[in-house]
Amino acid sequence: MSLRITTGRFKGLRLKGPSGERIRPMADRVRKALFDILASRGLLEGSFLDLYAGTGAVGIEALSRGASRVVLVDKDPRALRLIRQNLARTGASAEIIRYDLSRGLPPVRGPFEVISVTPPYGQGLAEKTLGDLAQSGLLAPGGLVVVEERETVTLPSRVGRLTLKDRRRYGQSVLWFYEEER
């Protein structure tokens, strides 16, 4: 599977995709829509945390669009290899952390303007990770947590201090946008 960066300084760059179904990258059109929404909110130049990073495409798109700092987190050694290979294609740098997010959040220095959560579909990890994030203090004031899940999954409108502000459907994928109530 081949992926491409949709916009920014790496626009058109082809990234290496996964073989098999263990790693599910966010589709190009969904990623483009996500970053257009983030641009409209002025959230492209801050720090970006990519949880369940997979191929690294979401974090690399953030770098392409001007993110000042990107942290990519995944537990799968194959995903981490793909992330390193894809980052090497850009010449950019990002922090890569191997961590099993089913155990909680990694020790990482925040805050982040955007936190992307793209877990394997339908395993309950999205809601669990939202709960962890709601207690973490990792989200910057005015920032967003964005969760991608299958359309058949319903996430709560509130998780701790995180409140659902928007929901967008793209085929079988849904993006859920949460803000923290202060």
Side-chain angles (χ1 to χ4, degrees), residues 109-170:
R109 180 182 50 83
F112 295 91
E113 279 72 30
V114 179
I115 301 174
S116 172
V117 181
T118 54
Y121 277 168
Q123 295 184 16
L125 293 170
E127 193 165 347
K128 185 212 175 305
T129 303
L130 276 170
D132 293 341
L133 286 169
Q135 298 175 24
S136 72
L138 287 176
L139 188 64
L144 278 179
V145 174
V146 183
V147 179
E148 182 192 17
E149 219 351 316
R150 180 178 286 145
E151 65 164 326
T152 56
V153 172
T154 300
L155 294 176
S157 60
R158 188 170 181 88
V159 179
R161 294 189 346 211
L162 294 175
T163 302
L164 180 66
K165 295 299 183 180
D166 197 3
R167 177 183 181 275
R168 308 269 179 110
R169 181 175 175 218
Y170 304 92

Side-chain angles (χ1 to χ4, degrees), residues 1-109:
M1 168 188 255
S2 180
L3 306 166
R4 68 179 175 79
I5 299 300
T6 62
T7 259
R9 66 184 170 144
F10 307 132
K11 181 180 179 175
L13 179 71
R14 293 225 174 261
L15 301 177
K16 188 170 183 179
S19 56
E21 295 185 15
R22 280 184 58 134
I23 300 170
R24 178 196 50 82
M26 183 183 289
D28 289 356
R29 75 181 186 100
V30 178
R31 197 171 61 253
K32 182 174 184 337
L34 166 61
F35 280 90
D36 288 347
I37 291 166
L38 296 177
S40 73
R41 296 181 58 114
L43 292 173
L44 293 180
E45 295 176 4
S47 56
F48 194 98
L49 177 60
D50 187 0
L51 301 176
Y52 306 94
T55 64
V58 173
I60 292 170
E61 188 85 42
L63 287 167
S64 182
R65 298 267 195 130
S68 60
R69 174 180 176 230
V70 172
V71 178
L72 302 122
V73 180
D74 207 297
K75 73 174 183 178
D76 188 323
R78 288 175 292 188
L80 297 168
R81 259 190 315 278
L82 278 172
I83 291 167
R84 285 185 191 94
Q85 290 170 354
N86 286 331
L87 269 173
R89 289 178 182 213
T90 69
S93 64
E95 184 179 349
I96 301 169
I97 299 173
R98 181 179 184 182
Y99 195 84
D100 182 355
L101 291 159
S102 69
R103 297 183 310 152
L105 296 174
V108 65
R109 180 182 50 83

